[in-house]
Amino acid sequence: MEQKEKMGVYKFFRSVLGFIYRLYYNPTIIGRENIPKGGSILVVGNHVHIMDQCNVIIVTKRCLHYMAKKEYFDGKFEWFFRSVGCIPVDRSKKDEHATGEALDVLKNGWALGLFPEGTRNALKEERAKEIYDKYFNKNLDFSEFYEKVKNERTSQINYLEELLNNKKITKNDFINNFYDVDSYLKKLVKKKQITKNEYYDHILLPFKFGTVSMAKKTNSKIVPFIVTGDYKFRSKNLTIRIGKPIDPMDDLDEANKKLRTTMLELYKENVGK
């Protein structure tokens, strides 16, 4: 589909679905003016919910070509994802074709959206089963267990297990606080058992290098955003903060660190820390 035709479909769905999205979730969006009106950009954020990308799509007139897992394209809604400019990614391998499509978007001076964490930061069923079998008794059915923990951040779950393995907490501490890890880690900060920096270091999953690599190859700016709060009907705390564009850097390690640091600072601003 040609870009002009694609933009027409994109604008239609952005207008209609954007109205419904705002009405339902009631997001507070800060910093929309930081999205450049022209030139190649990568719009990148943390990934906690399937709707994360909607928060930036609804505040810019630019068409955001989002990279999305190929499973979204396998069903009856393939036409929708393709018509609004999404790029399918096979996450089971290094998908050179998807990367090529993404680079073409940037080389044409358009806007690309992706998540540097690479996947949603919520506990996957496979990881939950591993923890359930290793640490929990079987009085609680796994399906009930997973329903309780599926929205916990994987990054924080992994850190909690790290604290257990390093004998900084007990097995009982691990089990008793598994259903609300964030609150427990905040308590550990207050008790000075972990530092604030250690807490914030585990808000996000490790970043992939795709974002900073593509920015360097195409001389594109990176526009970071952070999502905090709850995706609930007429949410009172769903807040999205969009940061100022970051120039591409030659040193990819330093670029990735800067991107991560910037996003964590946006997170702290959102939660008032």
Side-chain angles (χ1 to χ4, degrees), residues 131-137 161 164-165 171 174-175:
I131 291 170
Y132 173 80
D133 289 339
K134 188 173 181 180
Y135 298 108
F136 288 81
N137 62 46
E161 187 174 38
L164 173 63
N165 292 336
K171 185 177 178 180
F174 180 87
I175 293 171

Side-chain angles (χ1 to χ4, degrees), residues 71-266:
E71 287 80 1
Y72 290 147
F73 298 78
D74 293 339
K76 58 185 178 181
F77 292 108
E78 176 188 7
W79 66 271
F80 171 77
F81 290 107
R82 291 196 181 278
S83 66
V84 295
C86 290
I87 300 170
V89 182
D90 186 346
R91 297 187 301 175
S92 68
K93 63 180 182 179
K94 187 175 181 180
D95 195 336
E96 299 288 356
H97 181 73
T99 301
E101 282 195 58
L103 288 171
D104 285 342
V105 166
L106 296 171
K107 288 173 183 176
N108 279 298
W110 300 334
L112 180 72
L114 70 164
F115 300 106
E117 292 172 287
T119 187
R120 205 183 309 171
N121 192 3
L123 196 61
K124 304 291 190 296
E125 188 170 352
E126 183 180 350
R127 176 69 171 129
K129 187 67 166 64
E130 177 187 323
I131 291 170
Y132 173 80
D133 289 339
K134 188 173 181 180
Y135 298 108
F136 288 81
N137 62 46
K138 304 306 180 285
N139 293 333
L140 180 66
D141 182 76
F142 174 71
S143 61
E144 295 178 64
F145 171 79
Y146 186 57
E147 188 62 30
K148 289 182 176 182
V149 301
K150 65 182 181 181
N151 292 322
E152 294 293 321
R153 290 190 184 100
T154 301
S155 56
Q156 292 187 320
I157 292 292
N158 292 343
Y159 183 44
L160 192 70
E161 187 174 38
E162 180 185 321
L163 292 173
L164 173 63
N165 292 336
N166 291 335
K167 302 187 186 307
K168 291 188 176 181
I169 62 172
T170 67
K171 185 177 178 180
N172 282 339
D173 291 331
F174 180 87
I175 293 171
N176 293 336
N177 294 284
F178 197 81
Y179 302 107
D180 190 359
V181 179
D182 187 63
S183 294
Y184 179 59
L185 292 177
K186 287 176 180 176
K187 289 178 183 177
L188 293 183
V189 171
K190 287 184 178 180
K191 293 179 180 178
K192 297 186 178 180
Q193 289 180 247
I194 63 173
T195 67
K196 275 189 178 181
N197 284 340
E198 287 171 330
Y199 167 79
Y200 284 118
D201 281 345
H202 296 89
I203 288 293
L204 303 171
L205 288 166
F207 280 11
K208 309 290 185 183
F209 279 86
T211 297
V212 293
S213 176
M214 285 191 281
K216 176 185 174 183
K217 288 177 181 177
T218 59
N219 195 33
S220 303
K221 292 180 181 294
I222 301 171
V223 181
F225 71 91
I226 205 82
V227 179
T228 58
D230 302 312
Y231 281 91
K232 295 179 178 179
F233 177 66
R234 303 303 294 166
S235 176
K236 295 182 179 179
N237 65 353
L238 181 60
T239 305
I240 299 84
R241 188 176 295 268
I242 304 167
K244 293 181 179 179
I246 302 171
D247 290 326
M249 298 170 61
D250 289 330
D251 188 322
L252 296 187
D253 281 320
E254 287 302 313
N256 225 20
K257 288 177 185 175
K258 181 173 182 178
L259 175 59
R260 187 180 178 86
T261 298
T262 300
M263 288 177 62
L264 285 174
E265 288 303 316
L266 292 174

